[in-house]
């Protein structure tokens, strides 16, 4: 009887480890998504439709606001690079994320060209903030 309980306990522990391992591999940052939507649209889907963020299949994708479609998530577009340079930490609260987005909105989309539109101007004109 004791052997059965030990076997069941071991199986339960292993299941928990496997399930938690898979869950921790996702690195989405829904706080960024919500703050962006709150700043640039009332509904998340509408906000991304407004700035024209689409994945390779033409579906709305919030990830491509900062990342390069079809590439590893550590590869960021120019907007994502500018946002990363603000020093945001992974566990940043909504206010810090919003402040960083405000700071980046005032930056030129091409840091080498002072006449290039700011990221905020691109977003207001309905363009992907990471586009050139």
């Amino acid at each position: 009887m004791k052997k059965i309980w030990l076997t069941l306990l071991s199986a339960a522990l292993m299941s928990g480890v496997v399930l938690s391992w898979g869950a921790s591999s996702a690195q989405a940052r829904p706080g960024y998504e919500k703050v962006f939507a709150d700043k640039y649209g009332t509904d998340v889907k509408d906000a991304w439709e407004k700035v024209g963020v689409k994945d390779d299949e033409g579906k709305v994708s919030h990830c491509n606001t900062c990342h390069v479609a079809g590439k590893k998530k550590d590869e960021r577009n120019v907007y994502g690079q500018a946002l990363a340079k603000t020093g945001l930490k992974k566990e940043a609260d909504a206010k810090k994320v919003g402040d960083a987005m405000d700071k980046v909105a005032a930056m030129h989309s091409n840091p080498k060209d002072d006449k290039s539109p700011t990221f905020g101007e691109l977003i207001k004109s309905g363009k992907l903030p990471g586009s050139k």
Side-chain angles (χ1 to χ4, degrees):
M1 185 77 163
K2 188 175 182 181
K3 188 174 182 180
I4 293 172
W5 281 108
L6 286 175
T7 302
L8 289 173
L9 180 62
S10 295
L13 286 173
M14 287 302 290
S15 297
V17 168
V18 169
L19 290 174
S20 67
W21 181 31
S24 67
S25 65
Q27 303 232 344
R29 295 185 182 184
Y32 286 50
E33 176 182 345
K34 179 165 179 8
V35 173
F36 189 88
D38 288 347
K39 284 191 168 304
Y40 301 112
T42 56
D43 175 23
V44 173
K45 185 176 179 185
D46 289 343
W48 275 274
E49 296 249 358
K50 179 181 175 185
V51 296
V53 183
K54 306 280 185 183
D55 64 15
D56 294 335
E57 297 172 1
K59 296 178 185 172
V60 174
S61 171
H62 67 273
C63 299
N64 296 340
T65 305
C66 299
H67 300 282
V68 178
K71 302 287 183 177
K72 292 181 181 179
K73 289 300 177 197
D74 60 352
E75 189 167 337
R76 296 178 177 99
N77 60 33
V78 291
Y79 180 77
Q81 291 169 16
L83 199 55
K85 287 179 184 175
T86 65
L88 274 176
K89 302 292 182 206
K90 191 175 191 176
E91 61 280 345
D93 63 22
K95 178 168 179 7
K96 289 180 183 175
V97 173
D99 291 346
M101 286 181 181
D102 288 342
K103 184 177 178 180
V104 172
M107 295 178 182
H108 290 279
S109 56
N110 180 347
K112 297 177 183 176
D113 181 3
D114 289 342
K115 292 184 177 29
S116 67
T118 65
F119 288 112
E121 291 168 340
L122 286 174
I123 292 168
K124 286 179 184 171
S125 70
K127 295 181 181 169
L128 173 63
S131 64
K132 294 183 179 182

